Amino acid sequence: KQEVTQIPAALSVPEGENLVLNCSFTDSAIYNLQWFRQDPGKGLTSLLLIQSSQREQTSGRLNASLDKSSGRSTLYIAASQPGDSATYLCAPGGVYSGGGADGLTFGKGTHLIIQP
Amino acid sequence: GAVVSQHPSRVICKSGTSVKIECRSLDFQATTMFWYRQFPKKSLMLMATSNEGSKATYEQGVEKDKFLINHASLTLSTLTVTSAHPEDSSFYICSAKRDYSYNEQFFGPGTRLTVL
Protein backbone atom coordinates (compact mmCIF):
# COMPACT_ATOMS: atom_id res chain seq x y z
CA LYS A 1 0.00 0.00 0.00
CA GLN A 2 1.32 3.39 -1.00
CA GLU A 3 2.11 5.78 1.85
CA VAL A 4 2.91 9.43 1.36
CA THR A 5 4.69 11.69 3.84
CA GLN A 6 5.00 15.43 3.49
CA ILE A 7 7.48 17.53 5.39
CA PRO A 8 7.10 20.03 6.93
CA ALA A 9 3.50 19.69 8.09
CA ALA A 10 3.28 23.45 8.49
CA LEU A 11 5.40 26.41 7.48
CA SER A 12 5.05 30.13 8.13
CA VAL A 13 7.49 32.54 6.48
CA PRO A 14 7.62 36.19 5.41
CA GLU A 15 6.86 36.90 1.80
CA GLY A 16 9.68 36.90 -0.69
CA GLU A 17 11.38 33.77 0.58
CA ASN A 18 12.13 30.78 -1.59
CA LEU A 19 10.59 27.59 -0.22
CA VAL A 20 11.07 23.85 -0.56
CA LEU A 21 8.29 21.43 0.27
CA ASN A 22 9.18 17.76 0.52
CA CYS A 23 7.23 14.65 -0.34
CA SER A 24 8.25 11.02 0.03
CA PHE A 25 6.40 7.90 -1.03
CA THR A 26 6.98 4.23 -0.30
CA ASP A 27 6.12 2.54 -3.61
CA SER A 28 8.09 3.77 -6.60
CA ALA A 29 5.87 1.94 -9.13
CA ILE A 30 4.00 5.08 -10.10
CA TYR A 31 2.82 6.50 -13.41
CA ASN A 32 3.08 10.11 -12.38
CA LEU A 33 2.99 12.51 -9.47
CA GLN A 34 0.82 15.58 -9.08
CA TRP A 35 1.16 18.57 -6.81
CA PHE A 36 -2.01 20.37 -5.77
CA ARG A 37 -2.99 23.31 -3.63
CA GLN A 38 -6.11 23.31 -1.50
CA ASP A 39 -7.60 26.46 -0.04
CA PRO A 40 -9.70 26.07 3.15
CA GLY A 41 -13.03 24.38 2.45
CA LYS A 42 -12.29 24.17 -1.26
CA GLY A 43 -11.42 21.58 -3.83
CA LEU A 44 -8.00 20.94 -5.31
CA THR A 45 -6.16 22.99 -7.90
CA SER A 46 -3.64 21.07 -9.95
CA LEU A 47 -0.27 22.81 -9.95
CA LEU A 48 2.12 20.45 -11.69
CA LEU A 49 2.09 16.96 -13.13
CA ILE A 50 5.32 15.02 -13.51
CA GLN A 51 5.33 11.83 -15.53
CA SER A 52 7.34 8.93 -14.18
CA SER A 53 9.84 9.35 -17.02
CA GLN A 54 10.44 13.01 -16.21
CA ARG A 55 12.74 14.59 -13.65
CA GLU A 56 11.07 17.96 -13.22
CA GLN A 57 8.35 20.32 -14.32
CA THR A 58 8.11 24.08 -14.10
CA SER A 59 5.19 26.49 -14.08
CA GLY A 60 5.87 30.12 -13.33
CA ARG A 61 7.39 30.39 -9.85
CA LEU A 62 6.83 26.70 -9.18
CA ASN A 63 9.25 23.90 -9.92
CA ALA A 64 8.68 20.28 -9.00
CA SER A 65 11.26 17.54 -9.18
CA LEU A 66 10.82 13.79 -9.05
CA ASP A 67 13.30 11.11 -8.02
CA LYS A 68 11.20 8.05 -8.59
CA SER A 69 13.81 5.48 -7.56
CA SER A 70 14.26 7.06 -4.15
CA GLY A 71 10.58 7.84 -3.74
CA ARG A 72 10.92 11.58 -3.39
CA SER A 73 9.56 14.75 -4.89
CA THR A 74 10.09 18.38 -3.99
CA LEU A 75 8.09 21.47 -4.78
CA TYR A 76 10.11 24.66 -5.00
CA ILE A 77 8.28 27.98 -4.68
CA ALA A 78 10.26 31.03 -5.68
CA ALA A 79 9.66 34.52 -4.30
CA SER A 80 6.69 33.50 -2.18
CA GLN A 81 3.63 35.76 -1.97
CA PRO A 82 0.73 35.96 0.52
CA GLY A 83 -1.53 34.52 -2.20
CA ASP A 84 0.52 31.33 -2.05
CA SER A 85 -0.91 30.62 1.40
CA ALA A 86 -2.72 27.27 1.19
CA THR A 87 -2.24 23.60 1.88
CA TYR A 88 -0.02 21.89 -0.66
CA LEU A 89 -0.66 18.24 -1.41
CA CYS A 90 1.55 15.69 -3.08
CA ALA A 91 -0.10 12.74 -4.81
CA PRO A 92 1.68 9.91 -6.59
CA GLY A 93 -0.61 8.14 -9.00
CA GLY A 94 -1.08 4.83 -10.66
CA VAL A 95 -0.24 2.39 -7.94
CA TYR A 96 -2.78 -0.37 -8.01
CA SER A 97 -4.27 -0.36 -4.53
CA GLY A 98 -6.66 -3.25 -4.86
CA GLY A 99 -9.53 -1.22 -6.23
CA GLY A 100 -8.90 1.19 -9.06
CA ALA A 101 -5.77 1.77 -11.03
CA ASP A 102 -4.72 5.39 -11.52
CA GLY A 103 -6.18 6.52 -8.23
CA LEU A 104 -4.08 9.06 -6.38
CA THR A 105 -2.70 8.58 -2.89
CA PHE A 106 -2.41 11.81 -0.94
CA GLY A 107 -0.15 12.97 1.83
CA LYS A 108 -1.52 15.07 4.68
CA GLY A 109 -0.12 18.15 3.08
CA THR A 110 2.02 21.11 4.05
CA HIS A 111 0.04 24.01 5.47
CA LEU A 112 1.79 27.11 4.19
CA ILE A 113 1.33 30.65 5.48
CA ILE A 114 3.10 33.52 3.78
CA GLN A 115 3.18 36.60 5.98
CA PRO A 116 2.79 39.98 4.24
CA GLY B 1 -10.26 23.96 -20.13
CA ALA B 2 -10.52 20.90 -17.88
CA VAL B 3 -13.21 22.16 -15.51
CA VAL B 4 -15.02 19.82 -13.16
CA SER B 5 -18.14 20.82 -11.27
CA GLN B 6 -19.93 19.25 -8.34
CA HIS B 7 -23.47 19.68 -7.12
CA PRO B 8 -24.52 20.39 -4.48
CA SER B 9 -21.66 22.21 -2.82
CA ARG B 10 -23.15 21.72 0.61
CA VAL B 11 -25.90 19.49 1.94
CA ILE B 12 -27.36 18.91 5.38
CA CYS B 13 -29.63 15.93 5.86
CA LYS B 14 -31.23 13.84 8.56
CA SER B 15 -29.86 10.48 9.54
CA GLY B 16 -31.34 7.68 7.43
CA THR B 17 -31.87 9.69 4.26
CA SER B 18 -30.02 9.24 0.98
CA VAL B 19 -28.00 11.97 -0.68
CA LYS B 20 -26.93 12.16 -4.31
CA ILE B 21 -23.85 14.11 -5.39
CA GLU B 22 -23.18 14.89 -9.04
CA CYS B 23 -19.80 15.30 -10.67
CA ARG B 24 -19.57 16.74 -14.17
CA SER B 25 -16.69 17.37 -16.52
CA LEU B 26 -17.80 20.56 -18.24
CA ASP B 27 -15.49 20.86 -21.21
CA PHE B 28 -13.99 17.45 -21.75
CA GLN B 29 -14.92 13.82 -21.82
CA ALA B 30 -13.88 11.56 -19.01
CA THR B 31 -14.12 7.80 -19.27
CA THR B 32 -12.78 7.59 -15.74
CA MET B 33 -13.81 9.61 -12.70
CA PHE B 34 -12.77 9.18 -9.10
CA TRP B 35 -14.45 9.79 -5.78
CA TYR B 36 -12.46 10.84 -2.74
CA ARG B 37 -13.40 11.60 0.85
CA GLN B 38 -11.66 13.96 3.23
CA PHE B 39 -12.27 14.04 6.97
CA PRO B 40 -11.22 17.12 8.95
CA LYS B 41 -7.44 17.47 9.15
CA LYS B 42 -6.98 14.19 7.28
CA SER B 43 -5.70 13.25 3.86
CA LEU B 44 -7.97 12.73 0.91
CA MET B 45 -8.74 9.05 0.58
CA LEU B 46 -9.72 7.39 -2.67
CA MET B 47 -13.10 5.72 -2.31
CA ALA B 48 -13.78 4.36 -5.77
CA THR B 49 -13.00 4.58 -9.44
CA SER B 50 -15.98 5.25 -11.66
CA ASN B 51 -15.84 3.85 -15.19
CA GLU B 52 -18.24 5.01 -17.87
CA GLY B 53 -20.59 2.24 -18.86
CA SER B 54 -19.39 -0.27 -16.32
CA LYS B 55 -19.41 -0.92 -12.61
CA ALA B 56 -17.30 1.15 -10.27
CA THR B 57 -14.33 -0.37 -8.52
CA TYR B 58 -14.15 0.30 -4.81
CA GLU B 59 -11.18 0.65 -2.50
CA GLN B 60 -10.78 -1.77 0.36
CA GLY B 61 -13.03 -0.90 3.25
CA VAL B 62 -15.52 1.16 1.21
CA GLU B 63 -19.00 -0.35 1.22
CA LYS B 64 -20.32 -0.53 -2.31
CA ASP B 65 -23.90 -0.88 -1.12
CA LYS B 66 -23.55 2.25 0.98
CA PHE B 67 -21.89 4.41 -1.64
CA LEU B 68 -23.60 3.84 -4.97
CA ILE B 69 -21.78 5.13 -8.01
CA ASN B 70 -23.23 5.57 -11.46
CA HIS B 71 -21.24 6.80 -14.46
CA ALA B 72 -23.95 7.06 -17.06
CA SER B 73 -22.18 9.28 -19.57
CA LEU B 74 -18.73 10.56 -20.45
CA THR B 75 -19.37 13.77 -18.52
CA LEU B 76 -21.37 12.70 -15.48
CA SER B 77 -20.78 10.49 -12.47
CA THR B 78 -23.01 10.38 -9.41
CA LEU B 79 -22.32 9.24 -5.87
CA THR B 80 -25.30 8.33 -3.70
CA VAL B 81 -24.76 7.99 0.02
CA THR B 82 -27.54 5.66 1.09
CA SER B 83 -29.07 5.72 4.56
CA ALA B 84 -26.60 8.35 5.67
CA HIS B 85 -25.42 8.46 9.27
CA PRO B 86 -23.46 11.12 11.16
CA GLU B 87 -20.20 9.24 10.61
CA ASP B 88 -20.68 9.75 6.86
CA SER B 89 -20.33 13.51 7.37
CA SER B 90 -17.31 14.49 5.34
CA PHE B 91 -16.02 16.44 2.37
CA TYR B 92 -16.55 14.47 -0.83
CA ILE B 93 -14.47 15.42 -3.85
CA CYS B 94 -14.58 14.00 -7.33
CA SER B 95 -11.98 14.12 -10.04
CA ALA B 96 -11.98 13.34 -13.72
CA LYS B 97 -9.21 12.06 -15.87
CA ARG B 98 -9.18 13.69 -19.26
CA ASP B 99 -8.60 11.16 -21.97
CA TYR B 100 -5.21 11.41 -23.64
CA SER B 101 -3.87 13.72 -20.94
CA TYR B 102 -1.16 11.58 -19.40
CA ASN B 103 -3.43 10.56 -16.52
CA GLU B 104 -3.70 14.05 -15.10
CA GLN B 105 -6.69 14.38 -12.79
CA PHE B 106 -8.83 17.49 -12.46
CA PHE B 107 -10.78 17.99 -9.30
CA GLY B 108 -14.20 19.38 -8.55
CA PRO B 109 -14.80 21.94 -5.78
CA GLY B 110 -16.11 19.33 -3.36
CA THR B 111 -19.37 18.69 -1.51
CA ARG B 112 -19.65 19.20 2.22
CA LEU B 113 -22.06 16.61 3.65
CA THR B 114 -23.39 17.02 7.16
CA VAL B 115 -25.65 14.29 8.54
CA LEU B 116 -27.61 15.25 11.65
Side-chain angles (χ1 to χ4, degrees):
Chain A
K1 180 184 175 183
Q2 180 75 282
E3 293 182 3
V4 181
T5 302
Q6 289 190 244
I7 295 173
L11 184 62
S12 180
V13 299
E15 67 176 308
E17 290 200 7
N18 300 324
L19 308 171
V20 177
L21 308 183
N22 297 292
C23 170
S24 62
F25 47 95
T26 55
D27 192 330
S28 60
I30 62 173
Y31 299 154
N32 57 35
L33 185 142
Q34 281 185 256
W35 280 92
F36 298 89
R37 69 173 279 167
Q38 185 176 30
D39 294 287
K42 304 292 185 182
L44 276 63
T45 301
S46 179
L47 298 174
L48 290 163
L49 168 71
I50 311 177
Q51 298 300 327
S52 59
S53 58
Q54 297 175 320
R55 299 283 294 182
E56 66 178 308
Q57 279 285 347
T58 298
S59 176
R61 295 182 292 107
L62 304 179
N63 175 276
S65 67
L66 174 64
D67 185 343
K68 183 181 161 184
S69 60
S70 67
R72 288 188 289 189
S73 178
T74 59
L75 178 67
Y76 178 81
I77 303 175
S80 58
Q81 303 171 356
D84 295 331
S85 298
T87 296
Y88 289 79
L89 298 166
C90 160
V95 175
Y96 186 74
S97 60
D102 295 338
L104 298 176
T105 303
F106 285 86
K108 290 185 178 181
T110 293
H111 181 55
L112 177 63
I113 297 175
I114 307 298
Q115 305 156 11
Chain B
V3 178
V4 177
S5 70
Q6 273 184 250
H7 178 79
S9 58
R10 188 180 296 268
V11 57
I12 300 173
C13 68
K14 293 182 179 179
S15 184
T17 60
S18 294
V19 176
K20 179 186 283 188
I21 302 170
E22 293 186 350
C23 176
R24 294 181 184 271
S25 55
L26 297 184
D27 52 2
F28 66 99
Q29 293 185 333
T31 54
T32 306
M33 292 184 172
F34 304 87
W35 288 95
Y36 295 83
R37 180 168 54 182
Q38 185 178 34
F39 291 107
K41 300 192 184 299
K42 299 291 187 182
S43 305
L44 278 83
M45 297 295 293
L46 178 65
M47 298 174 66
T49 302
S50 171
N51 302 296
E52 187 268 337
S54 64
K55 291 182 179 179
T57 50
Y58 291 80
E59 293 301 298
Q60 200 169 22
V62 178
E63 301 173 56
K64 57 184 66 177
D65 294 331
K66 173 105 179 137
F67 299 98
L68 302 179
I69 292 173
N70 184 284
H71 194 154
S73 75
L74 289 173
T75 59
L76 173 64
S77 175
T78 60
L79 168 69
T80 301
V81 183
T82 62
S83 187
H85 291 285
E87 58 265 31
D88 298 323
S89 298
S90 186
F91 192 52
Y92 292 86
I93 308 178
C94 73
S95 72
K97 189 176 73 170
R98 187 170 55 184
D99 293 344
Y100 311 112
S101 69
Y102 303 103
N103 296 324
E104 184 172 7
Q105 291 188 29
F106 300 92
F107 281 76
T111 296
R112 173 76 59 192
L113 171 63
T114 302
V115 185
L116 303 176

